Amino acid sequence: RLVLDRTLLAALDHFGMPFEVLDLAGGKLTAEVLQSHSALVLAQSGLGHRLSEEQVAAIKEAIEAGMGLVNFDGILSDYPTAYRQMLGVESAAAARTASVAIASNTHPITHTYDAGQVFRLVRPVAFAALDRAPRGEILVRSEENLPAVFALGLGKGRIVQFTLSAEFWLP
């Protein structure tokens, strides 16, 4: 939770963006709850093993109806199979990377950067080394030329998935 507080929640507060924290332990993650929001942000590392198949089905239903999903949790191996299938990803081995590069600057997340721009990290961070290219557009690549961030459409909604650990955002 400390990483979440120091990174995403601090940024949302700073920019004055309204948000609601949904606690998965509270069991409120249903399609009805999700469809009343324009986006779902999964920001805390290690959430994958806490999501049930029913919650993944609710997330998928809400995305198909037009909700957006941004998942900063790169530990994809912990997510239910249904979640990885939604992304078009079979398996993801744990690895580390010491730099990332902008693969495409046509997406709103990367449009302010130059394609090919490299960011070297002070210390390597964990990331999910995907066994194959995911569906959608690769926005950022690891130094191993593997997807670090990718985006795809699903029904009327959009998904942005980071494969980097949330530690990437720490100073």
Side-chain angles (χ1 to χ4, degrees), residues 19-150:
F19 63 92
E20 176 184 1
V21 176
L22 298 175
D23 186 352
L24 291 178
K28 299 188 309 185
L29 201 61
T30 64
E32 295 77 28
V33 168
L34 291 171
Q35 288 177 13
S36 68
H37 295 79
S38 58
L40 171 65
V41 178
L42 299 175
Q44 198 169 350
S45 288
L47 288 179
H49 70 277
R50 295 184 181 259
L51 287 177
S52 67
E53 293 287 342
E54 295 79 23
Q55 290 170 322
V56 171
I59 291 169
K60 183 178 180 186
E61 182 180 333
I63 295 168
E64 289 173 336
M67 182 188 77
L69 168 65
V70 178
N71 189 351
F72 289 101
D73 182 9
I75 308 172
L76 293 176
S77 59
D78 284 354
Y79 280 77
T81 302
Y83 184 85
R84 291 192 309 273
Q85 288 174 341
M86 180 176 73
L87 299 176
V89 172
E90 297 260 336
S91 64
R96 298 189 76 69
T97 190
S99 68
V100 295
I102 303 298
S104 169
N105 63 354
T106 60
H107 191 276
I109 288 179
T110 55
H111 80 275
T112 59
Y113 301 98
D114 294 327
Q117 187 174 354
V118 174
F119 297 90
R120 303 218 182 278
L121 307 176
V122 174
R123 63 179 161 244
V125 296
F127 83 105
L130 304 180
D131 62 338
R132 63 179 175 167
R135 293 188 303 118
E137 179 183 12
I138 298 171
L139 305 177
V140 179
R141 292 188 179 277
S142 71
E143 67 184 345
E144 298 80 11
N145 203 33
L146 296 170
V149 182
F150 60 95

Side-chain angles (χ1 to χ4, degrees), residues 132-170:
R132 63 179 175 167
R135 293 188 303 118
E137 179 183 12
I138 298 171
L139 305 177
V140 179
R141 292 188 179 277
S142 71
E143 67 184 345
E144 298 80 11
N145 203 33
L146 296 170
V149 182
F150 60 95
L152 62 135
L154 183 65
K156 294 179 182 177
R158 301 274 303 151
I159 300 170
V160 173
Q161 176 67 56
F162 285 73
T163 64
L164 299 165
S165 163
E167 293 174 356
F168 174 78
W169 301 104
L170 291 174

